Structure formats: structure tokens, C-alpha cells
Amino acid sequence: SQTIHQWPATLVQPVGSPLSLECTVEGTSNPNLYWYRQAAGRGLQLLFYSVGIGQISSEVPQNLSASRPQDRQFILSSKKLLLSDSGFYLCAWSVVFNQPQHFGDGTRLSIL
Amino acid sequence: GQQLNQSPQSMFIQEGEDVSMNCTSSSIFNTWLWYKQDPGEGPVLLIALYKAGELTSNGRLTAQFGITRKDSFLNISASIPSDVGIYFCAGQSRGTYKYIFGTGTRLKVLA
């Protein structure tokens, strides 16, 4: 069966520091991969999605970037974190676009 | 842009009661999904709906894809304490890659 892993589970970073969050999927090949941010009490905002290695689409302009160096690996990065980058970051995968997305357990990012 | 209204925002219910929540969209969807999110975890898929009028069950949960394709509802029968959490709906239009998520219904069960 397929599994998705995200790490770290929680992260506290100072303003201006870099960021790297990692997501890996097991048990499937060539998945669609997604990064979401969830603000407290809000729904999920799609940040990036990827249909294959090296293929990244950005949904909203922001201080973050994404990369897909391997088929089942998706990385969320920033060179200099802002206070507004705080939130709960979720990685998800799907077989194809019109199939349900399955989420990891998320990373709670706090910026000080 | 597309909007998805989910109601109620939160609800307290007595253990054993039935629960109903719904989502309405400003546009037509071809797929409706329902997720549950526990604190500090990612959303878990409960039910997926692909056809207007479709009624699908998963244990004590039942969800329906509205005939107009602009709404969906989720029912939970005989609620138990582990039903506590946030329930999200998500909809997708044909030919798009994106799911639009509702803002969630926070369910709290009184034992």
C-alpha cells in the first residue's frame, strides 16, 4: 500500500533563516505531488504541485519554492523565512489529478 | 474565483446523536471529497463522490453528491467521542487539477 511521510513534524525557525521540508511517497510511481499550507481555522491553500521530476507549478507568488529531485520526493524550501510563513504545511499525493489526494501528517512551522 | 461554503462552522452534539453538515459551491463540481482531520495530523479521506445523486457510505458515515452538482452533504449516525475533529469537503471541476477545500466543520462530541 502507499504511504506518505513528512518531516520534521514540528519546526521552530528564526526570521530570515532558510527552510527545507521534505516529503516522500512510497508504494507508487510517478505520483502527482502537492504542497498545501493550512492557516489556523482555515481551509487548505494549494502552494505547489508537480506532475513529474523537475516539473513544478506554483499557485501563488510567495517566499517559498518547491523542488522534485526524485520521482517520489517533494521538497518545500525558502531562502529567508518571514513571520507570515508560519503555519501547518501539508504534503499530498494522488495517482492523477482527478483522483483523491492523500495527505501526510504535516509540519507545524513556527517563525520567531 | 470558485468558492466553497461549508456549514456549520462548528457544532456540539451529544454522543449517540446523528450529525449533518454540508458544502455548497458557486460552480459545478465533478468530484466531491470528504476528509476528517484530527489535531496535529493531516486530513484523512473518508468518502469520494463522482456522480450527481451518488450516495455513498463508509461505516456510520454517508455522503451524497447533490443533484445540482453544486452541493454535497455528510451525515454521521450515532456519533461517538472519536468522531471529534474537523471535517473538510473538497470539490473539483472537470478538466482542472485543483481541489477547492471548504473551511471545515469542527465537531465536538459531549459524552
Side-chain angles (χ1 to χ4, degrees):
Chain A
S1 63
Q2 300 88 2
T3 56
I4 179 168
H5 303 280
Q6 276 186 254
W7 66 92
T10 60
L11 189 60
V12 181
Q13 292 283 97
V15 169
S17 64
L19 173 74
S20 181
L21 303 181
E22 192 161 339
C23 171
T24 59
V25 179
E26 297 176 0
T28 187
S29 296
N30 196 32
N32 287 350
L33 296 172
Y34 311 84
W35 278 111
Y36 287 86
R37 176 166 54 207
Q38 184 177 28
R42 305 286 297 275
L44 279 67
Q45 179 189 31
L46 180 63
L47 302 176
F48 301 95
Y49 68 94
S50 171
V51 299
I53 296 173
Q55 300 179 65
I56 308 294
S57 296
S58 173
E59 273 296 294
V60 293
Q62 59 205 315
N63 185 42
L64 301 168
S65 62
S67 62
R68 185 169 177 174
Q70 300 180 43
D71 181 44
R72 290 169 290 171
Q73 183 184 29
F74 206 21
I75 297 172
L76 184 69
S77 304
S78 174
K79 292 182 179 177
K80 293 177 86 170
L81 286 166
L82 306 172
L83 281 174
S84 57
D85 291 324
S86 291
F88 191 51
Y89 289 85
L90 289 158
C91 181
W93 73 273
S94 68
V95 176
V96 291
F97 279 136
N98 63 354
Q99 290 295 305
Q101 296 174 10
H102 303 276
F103 289 85
D105 280 339
T107 295
R108 175 77 56 194
L109 176 64
S110 300
I111 310 299
L112 303 179
Chain B
Q2 290 178 317
Q3 292 185 338
L4 214 132
N5 296 311
Q6 188 169 350
S7 65
Q9 285 187 321
S10 63
M11 55 195 310
F12 284 91
I13 60 169
Q14 292 283 344
E15 184 177 353
E17 286 184 348
D18 296 345
V19 176
S20 186
M21 61 190 77
N22 68 83
C23 277
T24 58
S25 168
S26 57
S27 53
I28 290 173
F29 285 147
N30 282 3
T31 303
W32 282 99
L33 307 176
W34 284 93
Y35 290 88
K36 182 191 177 208
Q37 185 176 27
D38 291 326
E41 298 182 11
V44 174
L45 181 69
L46 300 173
I47 293 177
L49 303 162
Y50 299 103
K51 287 172 53 177
E54 180 180 356
L55 187 71
T56 298
S57 293
N58 177 5
R60 293 179 295 105
L61 278 62
T62 302
Q64 185 159 24
F65 194 139
I67 294 293
T68 65
R69 295 166 67 189
K70 290 186 177 182
D71 59 357
S72 176
F73 69 80
L74 176 70
N75 286 342
I76 305 173
S77 62
S79 56
I80 59 178
S82 62
D83 290 333
V84 165
I86 304 176
Y87 292 80
F88 288 100
C89 61
Q92 186 185 57
S93 300
R94 183 189 298 277
T96 66
Y97 58 88
K98 192 173 174 178
Y99 278 96
I100 307 298
F101 283 82
T103 52
T105 293
R106 187 179 296 272
L107 183 64
K108 301 178 185 180
V109 179
L110 303 172

